[in-house]
Amino acid sequence: MKARLDFLLRATIDECFKKGVLKKAPLPDFVIEIPNNPAHGHFATNLPLALASSQHRSPREIATIIIDHIKDERGLLENSEVAGPGFINFLISAKEWYGILSDIVTRKGDYDRNRVRSGERVLVEFVSANPTGPLHLGHGRGAALGDTLCRVLSFCGYDVVREFYINDSGQQITILGESILNRFKQVNNPEYPFPENGYHGDYVLSLAKTISEEIDLEKLTEEEAIHVCTRKGKEILLEEIRQDLKRFRVAFDIWYSENELSSSGLLENTLEVLRGNGLLYEQDGALWIRTAGFGDDKDRVIRKRDGQFTYFASDISYHLEKHNRGFAKAIDIWGADHHGYIPRMKAALLSHGIPEDWLSVMLIQLVKLWKGGQEIKMSKRAGNFVTLQELLDEVGVDAARFVFLTKNHDSQLDFDIDLVKKQDSDNPVYYVQYAHARICSIFRKAGDAGISIPEKPDGLLNLLSLDEEMVLIRTMAEFPAILAEICKTLEPHRLTYYLTALASSFHRYFNLGTKIPEHRIITPEKGLSQARLTLAEGVRTVITNGLRLLGISAPQRM
RNA sequence: GCCCCCGUAGCUCAGGUGGAUAGAGCACCAGAUUCCUAAUCUGGGUGCCGCAUGUUCGAGUCAUGCCGGGGGCACCA
């Protein structure tokens, strides 16, 4: 709708230039927006204000000229008027709004599919938890965010690949193995030393049990035993991570192993290339990469004095490999504690001529956990944390996904376990789901009464005339813009806000009927009932589509 | 010291590329159910939008500085 108005306005300005009623000048930036105040119409533009300086005329004068020259042959507009310092407020004709409703109920689940981009290849990497313990709340937030973003991007026509990068080599994986072996040994020998920085969680003990039942650890040398514990431990944990994510309705296309990255020789190749470009040098016995020249504040070590590569080395290699796979854009979702990592990563890419905006890094701020009015410090190593699994047991997948997306990812999220547990009926997700269930119920009643939506309801829609009905249609019409915006800003939380607003408008509309029987959806007048059912069907469609993008179920009954 | 995020109603937070009178949920108070699901709805808000300066027709929004809270600044992962 906004696009049509934009088109009409630009045509009008051209016309004004041609006729000489406005001086020819480059078209300035202007906006068409939905005003906060309903008295200001359905849409408003600041175009006259933006034109004022180049025209040397008052904005109100320009606004009048524009309005006089609008050639609205299709009858898009019902009214246009000058307002305030020089805005133009537009009222769209009812017929246009009915057209949108008709479009929604015709296209159903495909309403607004593929509007933004077609086929641009995007790689989204998220969660990427180390297989050294179960997923916790922070991973849940990243999973909900990344998955919803992927669903929206894909719905809007991007060719999306979801990837989980497995940090399955390096120091911390070995420490996992040592921790497991320790728990095994301690059963008979409580004095057996626990590794420094070892993992304390209860899951380590159960891993020790599982592994020792399968393999006789006593028969192995300590080195062999650690090796076995490491390998089996990460295997089991990775499988648990997969299961947790599956339960959370998050699916990945690719599980990318760091181990394979180095064993396949990719890391070495990358180093060769870097060396060839003169980007590497030795100092103090370590190998450094020159990132300082590319926007980082200092050079970075990629191979330590002890001969081990840093994570940065494989991360560079990994990201270059992503680029080689031909993605137009890469999105990484990282914990906020990695923010210092962004400049050096981008610098490394830039040194290969990969532009800065190829990679978007979304940082998720901390999830703070509250229980019994106290903050619980989460630490995997101290074994003190609430797992995603526990959270899902408490509040369910729907509520968890929704709550994770009620705040912008770069704001901290206070997650009060007690509150969300209690929240049963106060939880906002139920509010939206209830609107859906309620509409389903109305359709069951209508079915009992022998009323259904006709094949072509278009002719009946002009029976919709209540303010509340028109508000609903206009809100539904915003859905495409919301999705487009999420693609642009990478902020899926806008969807939860939008759905809450839509559900609210519907509940309000429904309740009109409790006071005034003529305003009920099912009335003695068949045509009117059919028109209103079409409206309800539109709302149901948009809510269903929205919830599907959030990975949340749309129940028929509650 | 440097970097990132945050600061909006009692609380938790939304506030498209700057627009007209800044919003929602929770909490609190008062109401609505012979009627399509009350998990709902209606009514009730005197907010230095952290402070200051700047940019301009116009700033919660942009720029700079300061104050306050959180996080990060390793040859850790």
Side-chain angles (χ1 to χ4, degrees), chain A residues 152-218:
Chain A
V152 173
L153 287 171
S154 163
F155 189 70
C156 289
Y158 289 86
D159 183 1
V160 180
V161 172
R162 304 137 175 263
E163 188 155 297
F164 186 115
Y165 182 63
I166 311 164
N167 282 131
D168 52 3
S169 69
Q171 192 74 26
Q172 91 290 356
I173 282 287
T174 310
I175 293 175
L176 172 72
E178 289 167 357
S179 304
I180 295 171
L181 183 63
N182 169 273
R183 289 303 186 221
F184 171 74
K185 295 279 191 190
Q186 277 189 337
V187 174
N188 294 323
N189 176 13
E191 298 302 309
Y192 193 86
F194 190 74
E196 200 181 337
N197 293 326
Y199 294 99
H200 288 85
D202 292 340
Y203 65 93
V204 181
L205 183 59
S206 55
L207 283 175
K209 254 184 217 153
T210 310
I211 294 169
S212 61
E213 278 163 14
E214 194 182 324
I215 295 163
D216 190 353
L217 293 172
E218 294 290 9

Side-chain angles (χ1 to χ4, degrees), chain A residues 264-275:
Chain A
S264 69
L266 210 57
L267 185 56
E268 288 302 326
N269 287 348
T270 305
L271 290 184
E272 280 309 307
V273 173
L274 288 169
R275 204 184 306 271

